[in-house]
Amino acid sequence: MRREIEEFLSAHRELTRRYFFRFGIAGLATSRILGLNSTTDLSASELVSPLQSLEPYFTHQNQFRDVSRGKPLPHSLSDEKKHETGLTRETWTLEIIPDPENPSSIRRALAKKDGTALDFAALMKLAEKHAVRFAKVMTCLNIGCPLGTGIWEGVPLRELIWLVQPRENLRRVFYYGYHNDDPQQMFRSSLPIDRILEDPFDLPPVIVCYKLNGEWLTSERGGPVRMVVPEAYGFKSIKWLTHVVLSNLFHANDTYAEGNNDVEGWLKTFAATLSIPHQVKAREAIPVTGYAQVGLQGLSKVQVSFRSNNEDSAETWVDAEILPPPKNWGHLPEGKIPDGTIGFESATGRPKSWPMRLTKVHWAILLPGHPAGEYTFRCRTIDEKGMAQPMPRPFRNSGLAALETIDIAVKP
């Protein structure tokens, strides 16, 4: 872990050195006015401390932020209780059944009462032929930062749907996980059948997931098996999966809809800071680093503005630099991208495009020094369609899109 952090820090230092070099050459006259020594690397002392707390690009399972539901939390149950309730690979089963209220016509159900529910061994048999892997940032709709980023592995849900041989009246699939044998605790999500059977916009498939970063899913991450929906917020990626229900229902019946949430929205593109001083000396350059979540619309730019609170002029946005793909991705098997991961070159393990949609990137910029006063810093993204954050949907219940605003005091 320490080695990974040091390599990450090295990448950030090198990026900021490039900024100082550019500042020293292209803005030499400005440097002199500000009283800066363009040959001094100011980044090392200012960036090392905040960067030491950063996780690698891909997040270790035990370092994801946890927003699990349940009383008690299913992952907190004793090993004996987990074994008893099917929360281990040895005892897990999945039922695929028609909706009793809005039934779809299928040839056969996979149900516990018939002894036909899918078990983990059968899932692994399907994985031998159909397993897929892709990178995804997991984000809660109502939390202002990602929970973690990883490479998720599983079997496309459609392969499981075909096992029951659906015939007609199938418009939507809803699914839920273990909920302490208490109907009041059920947390349910749903998808239109078209999204399960086809992958629009070159998206990875919806998967029944059993591995994260090359390791079996832990109970905290929803193991032994969970759903993962690539373009969606976390409430669609149900943990501790136990039931898939095929329905002729024409609308979403997600639990999250009851909380005034947009249950059909997809990941938005947005930026936020990781390190920025809230107080600096006059004429002192300000190094800033941050991250951007890359939503379905992609990412073309990260921009920042820095303006005096006494100014009434129009806000000016300046491009920050998006960091290139890291040389070390973090906690992965043998330290490299698993073969066959969607979006990566098999021979080199490098991404086919950058930034990668549905993941994250880091960015940095060196702001020149300013006179004493009170200032406001803001950052935003521009997606691949040219839309500036917070558009296209600036509504909180559709996912985070608000611009981060930070007050900075420049002292004499």
Side-chain angles (χ1 to χ4, degrees):
M1 184 66 178
R2 177 62 184 172
R3 179 177 61 84
E4 293 168 349
I5 290 175
E6 289 175 349
E7 291 180 354
F8 189 85
L9 291 176
S10 177
H12 268 266
R13 292 186 194 118
E14 181 58 31
L15 173 73
T16 311
R17 287 190 186 99
R18 293 203 303 271
Y19 265 96
F20 273 88
F21 180 76
R22 182 186 307 167
F23 184 79
I25 300 299
L28 183 57
T30 305
S31 313
R32 288 171 178 164
I33 293 172
L34 298 176
L36 294 175
N37 182 345
S38 61
T39 62
T40 301
D41 184 351
L42 302 179
S43 66
S45 61
E46 295 186 17
L47 287 178
V48 168
S49 178
L51 289 176
Q52 282 179 338
S53 62
L54 292 177
E55 64 184 5
Y57 186 88
F58 288 125
T59 312
H60 193 283
Q61 289 202 51
N62 61 19
Q63 294 181 344
F64 270 69
R65 295 184 64 184
D66 187 38
V67 292
S68 300
R69 290 170 174 248
K71 295 181 180 180
L73 292 171
H75 64 70
S76 69
L77 300 175
S78 67
D79 290 343
E80 181 180 358
K81 184 66 174 177
K82 288 177 182 177
H83 187 85
E84 174 189 332
T85 56
L87 294 181
T88 66
R89 293 191 296 277
E90 295 74 23
T91 62
W92 174 83
T93 58
L94 177 68
E95 294 193 76
I96 306 177
I97 56 177
D99 179 1
E101 297 181 4
N102 299 277
S104 295
S105 175
I106 65 176
R107 290 192 180 276
R108 68 185 187 106
L110 300 181
K112 280 187 176 182
K113 64 182 180 61
D114 303 327
T116 57
L118 189 80
D119 61 16
F120 197 80
L123 181 63
M124 290 300 96
K125 189 67 177 176
L126 288 171
E128 291 176 7
K129 182 177 181 180
H130 300 292
V132 297
R133 307 170 191 84
F134 55 84
K136 169 180 169 55
V137 58
M138 194 64 74
T139 304
C140 179
L141 182 74
N142 296 310
I143 293 180
C145 67
L147 307 175
T149 305
I151 293 179
W152 307 84
E153 177 180 330
V155 174
L157 176 57
R158 56 176 167 261
E159 300 300 336
L160 278 64
I161 299 294
W162 292 131
L163 294 177
V164 301
Q165 301 178 50
R167 303 174 67 184
E168 59 184 357
N169 294 331
L170 175 54
R171 289 192 279 182
R172 200 161 188 94
V173 175
F174 68 87
Y175 45 92
Y176 57 92
Y178 176 74
H179 47 271
N180 295 304
D181 299 321
D182 177 4
Q184 298 300 316
Q185 293 194 41
M186 179 190 290
F187 189 79
R188 177 174 60 199
S189 281
S190 69
L191 291 166
I193 186 60
D194 279 1
R195 174 60 189 100
I196 294 169
L197 300 184
E198 302 177 70
D199 304 324
F201 315 118
D202 296 322
L203 289 170
V206 176
I207 62 171
V208 176
C209 174
Y210 49 81
K211 280 188 177 181
L212 172 57
N213 293 337
E215 298 179 341
W216 297 120
L217 275 179
T218 63
S219 185
E220 289 84 352
R221 300 282 66 75
V225 176
R226 68 180 292 168
M227 199 74 75
V228 174
V229 183
E231 72 279 13
Y233 286 93
F235 70 92
K236 289 289 189 182
S237 296
I238 293 289
K239 297 178 179 178
W240 312 295
L241 184 66
T242 58
H243 289 78
V244 171
V245 183
L246 310 187
S247 178
N248 196 33
L249 198 67
F250 66 90
H251 58 80
N253 62 348
D254 300 41
T255 302
Y256 236 44
E258 300 168 2
N260 190 32
N261 295 294
D262 177 0
V263 297
E264 300 292 3
W266 47 58
L267 282 173
K268 307 299 183 296
T269 300
F270 77 91
T273 57
L274 288 170
S275 65
I276 181 171
H278 290 260
Q279 181 173 307
V280 296
K281 294 180 179 179
R283 308 299 184 181
E284 183 178 274
I286 307 170
V288 186
T289 62
Y291 69 89
Q293 176 175 288
V294 186
L296 188 62
Q297 294 283 58
L299 173 69
S300 63
K301 294 180 180 181
V302 173
Q303 296 184 322
V304 305
S305 73
F306 191 82
R307 61 188 301 192
S308 170
N309 294 346
N310 295 323
E311 290 181 0
D312 294 325
S313 58
E315 189 168 17
T316 300
W317 293 94
V318 178
D319 292 351
E321 183 165 329
I322 297 172
L323 272 67
K327 293 181 179 179
N328 186 291
W329 292 94
H331 187 83
L332 294 174
E334 301 177 2
K336 63 180 183 179
I337 302 295
D339 290 341
T341 301
I342 294 173
F344 290 83
E345 299 284 354
S346 296
T348 64
R350 307 303 289 170
K352 294 180 180 179
S353 62
W354 192 259
M356 296 179 64
R357 289 187 304 166
L358 313 181
T359 63
K360 68 179 181 185
V361 291
H362 293 98
W363 55 268
I365 191 167
L366 180 69
L367 300 173
H370 283 69
E374 299 295 325
Y375 294 82
T376 297
F377 173 92
R378 300 210 298 168
C379 59
R380 71 178 186 182
T381 54
I382 309 293
D383 67 26
E384 290 181 349
K385 304 294 185 181
M387 299 291 284
Q389 182 188 340
M391 297 301 287
R393 281 192 279 173
F395 318 118
R396 183 173 180 82
N397 57 359
S398 293
L400 179 75
L403 275 65
E404 182 181 32
T405 299
I406 298 174
D407 293 326
I408 297 179
V410 178
K411 299 296 184 179

